[in-house]
Amino acid sequence: MRQAERLGMILEELSARGSVAVADLSARLGVSAATVRRDLEHLEEQHLLTRTHGGAVAQMVSYELPLRYKSARRQEQKRRIGREAARRVHDGAVIGLTGGTTTTEVARSLVDRPLTVVTNALNIASELAIRPNIKLVVTGGTARPESYELVGPLADQTLAEVHLDIAFIGADGITAEAGLTTHHEVEARTDRALIERARRVIAVADGSKLGKVAFARICPLSALDELVTDAEADARELRAIRETGLLVTVV
């Protein structure tokens, strides 16, 4: 297991439990206790946790896994979702992309197409900026280091001036009752601004997001035209989402 993947798993455990133990992590990750301690030291240097005797605790009550560690998890599922979602795009389309690891895979599946792309995600913009076939529009706004997204009034103002054929939206949680949710309320508002400018809205999320509810609501499921997810999604939650009338594609 690569270090980036180990670090992501450690941070996910912290997010879920609030603390981790070296012995438990060593057994779960299949590495030595010394390797786990080095990983914890690395994360502490980035102020992502506080080490304790025999383990570590999260530094924040509300915890969001940074994008650089999210990208190491469930990569194949996200690639499949990205490829499937990209099939909805016709040449010459104007598309919008929020930030996130799965929307990044959508962007990577579209790099060779003649398109106009509007995004508030700095990492997506950096990958598309060198593509001569893509007209790239990047919103202004305040950068969030956790998600590499530009958010706030400047981003919302830019989005208010454009019209999109399709918007691809990422999320930290999806349920039939709560809809799409994310960890940050300002990010949720900018995501809504993008949704409001699109004729068609497609949520893209790996199966681990289904059944979870994050702090801030992006939109109800009624604002979506489709959800593209993977076969590891919780069957009960998938059924509940389908019962709302939303088209769900599983890859």
Side-chain angles (χ1 to χ4, degrees):
M1 184 182 294
R2 295 178 301 128
Q3 186 189 40
E5 189 172 0
R6 291 198 311 271
L7 298 179
M9 292 182 70
I10 291 169
L11 290 173
E12 285 191 347
E13 281 290 300
L14 276 176
S15 178
R17 303 177 184 275
S19 64
V20 292
V22 170
D24 292 341
L25 289 172
S26 177
R28 180 174 179 185
L29 300 176
V31 296
S32 68
T35 297
V36 172
R37 293 189 188 97
R38 286 194 295 270
D39 288 344
L40 295 179
E41 181 179 356
H42 179 76
L43 292 170
E44 185 177 48
E45 289 173 352
Q46 298 179 58
H47 307 288
L48 293 170
L49 54 77
T50 299
R51 294 179 67 191
T52 63
H53 179 70
V57 296
Q59 284 197 337
M60 296 173 284
V61 174
S62 177
Y63 198 86
E64 180 178 0
L65 191 66
L67 188 74
R68 62 187 179 277
Y69 297 121
K70 289 181 183 177
S71 62
R73 305 300 310 279
R74 303 175 65 83
Q75 289 180 325
E76 181 53 37
Q77 293 92 328
K78 293 170 184 177
R79 290 191 189 103
R80 292 202 309 269
I81 293 167
R83 289 193 294 265
E84 176 64 26
R87 294 174 57 191
R88 280 87 175 135
V89 179
H90 60 82
D91 287 354
V94 181
I95 70 167
L97 292 163
T98 66
T101 54
T102 311
T103 50
T104 298
E105 292 300 333
V106 177
R108 289 169 177 165
S109 296
L110 293 169
V111 293
D112 296 322
R113 306 275 295 279
L115 301 168
T116 297
V117 176
V118 179
T119 187
N120 66 324
L122 293 170
N123 66 308
I124 291 175
S126 69
E127 293 197 26
L128 298 184
I130 61 172
R131 302 289 178 169
N133 52 296
I134 291 179
K135 177 181 178 181
L136 176 66
V137 178
V138 183
T139 72
T142 301
R144 292 197 65 232
E146 297 86 356
S147 64
Y148 302 160
E149 287 185 278
L150 299 169
V151 299
L154 290 176
D156 300 348
Q157 183 177 346
T158 300
L159 293 171
E161 301 298 324
V162 301
H163 298 276
L164 308 173
D165 294 310
I166 306 178
F168 294 98
I169 311 297
D172 295 304
I174 304 175
T175 68
E177 183 177 355
L180 265 62
T181 54
T182 189
H183 291 292
H184 197 275
E185 69 279 4
V186 179
E187 185 176 308
R189 179 172 178 174
T190 298
D191 288 350
R192 284 196 298 274
L194 189 73
I195 288 169
E196 290 169 359
R197 307 309 298 168
R199 292 193 296 113
R200 188 178 182 194
V201 181
I202 300 174
V204 289
D206 71 78
S208 69
K209 306 296 177 56
L210 272 67
K212 293 183 178 179
V213 178
F215 172 68
R217 191 185 204 193
I218 299 172
C219 68
L221 294 188
S222 59
L224 306 176
D225 294 288
E226 185 179 3
L227 165 65
V228 183
T229 187
D230 66 76
E232 296 181 28
D234 179 78
R236 182 178 301 178
E237 191 62 46
L238 267 178
R239 183 166 56 253
I241 290 172
R242 283 189 167 116
E243 287 174 353
T244 69
L246 180 65
L247 173 63
V248 178
T249 300
V250 177
V251 297

